[in-house]
Amino acid sequence: MRLLRSTDLALRVLMRLAVAGETSPTTRDVAAAMEVPYTHAAKVVAELQHMGLLEARRGRGGGLSLTEKGRGASVGAVIRAFEGEGDVVDCEGPAPCPLAPACRLRGALRRAQEAFFASLDPLTISEMVADPTGPLLLSITPRPV
C-alpha cells in the first residue's frame, strides 16, 4: 500500500510539531523544511486543524502548535482520515470488473488494508518522536535565522 503525499506530509507535520518545544513554526516554515509547495502544506495544515490535532495562530507571534489531542492521535486514525475508507482497488469504476460478482480478491485486499491500519492504530504521534527519532528530527530541521 502506498500513502498519498498529503498523508505522508500530515504525519511529518505532526511529528515535527511534537518536537517543536517552545517554537511555533509557521506553515511556510514547515513547507520549506519539508521541501513541499506552500499550498500543499497549507491544505494539510487546514485539515489537521479541522481535525483538532493542531492549532494555527495568525499574525505576529503566530504559528503552528500541536494540541494534546494531536500528541495522543493514533497514527492509524490519521492515515484513515487522509486516505479514506475506500477499497484498495476500484472494482466499480467506469469499466466495472467482470469478476465483481464472484471476486475473492477484493475481500482479501480489504482485510489486508484493515490489518495495515490496525497495526498502526495503537501508535501515537508522541511515540513516533521518542528517542532517537525526536532528536534526529530536530537536528535536520532548519533553524530560524
Side-chain angles (χ1 to χ4, degrees):
M1 179 170 183
R2 185 179 185 117
L3 297 179
L4 298 171
R5 285 185 181 177
S6 57
T7 305
D8 174 48
L9 181 56
L11 292 169
R12 290 190 290 144
V13 166
L14 292 171
M15 290 172 65
R16 172 59 185 91
L17 294 177
V19 296
E22 298 298 315
T23 62
S24 293
T26 65
T27 303
R28 286 199 190 283
D29 295 337
V30 169
M34 301 199 183
E35 299 178 356
V36 297
Y38 168 77
T39 54
H40 192 61
K43 287 178 187 177
V44 168
V45 164
E47 182 60 27
L48 292 170
Q49 184 179 12
H50 177 73
M51 293 168 65
L53 303 180
L54 63 80
E55 291 178 349
R57 292 173 311 284
R58 293 179 178 254
R60 189 176 195 92
L64 306 174
S65 60
L66 198 59
T67 63
E68 281 306 310
K69 182 179 177 182
R71 287 189 189 290
S74 159
V75 172
V78 172
I79 293 174
R80 274 188 187 90
F82 276 84
E83 294 289 319
E85 294 282 339
D87 287 327
V88 176
V89 292
D90 183 11
C91 300
E92 286 131 26
C97 177
L99 299 176
C103 183
R104 297 178 67 173
L105 179 61
R106 184 177 186 179
L109 290 173
R110 182 56 144 148
R111 287 188 300 278
Q113 180 184 32
E114 191 49 45
F116 172 76
F117 289 141
S119 70
L120 296 171
D121 282 340
L123 303 173
T124 66
I125 297 301
S126 290
E127 291 171 333
M128 293 295 96
V129 297
D131 284 346
T133 306
L136 178 61
L137 186 57
L138 281 175
S139 75
I140 60 174
T141 302
R143 303 278 188 241
V145 257

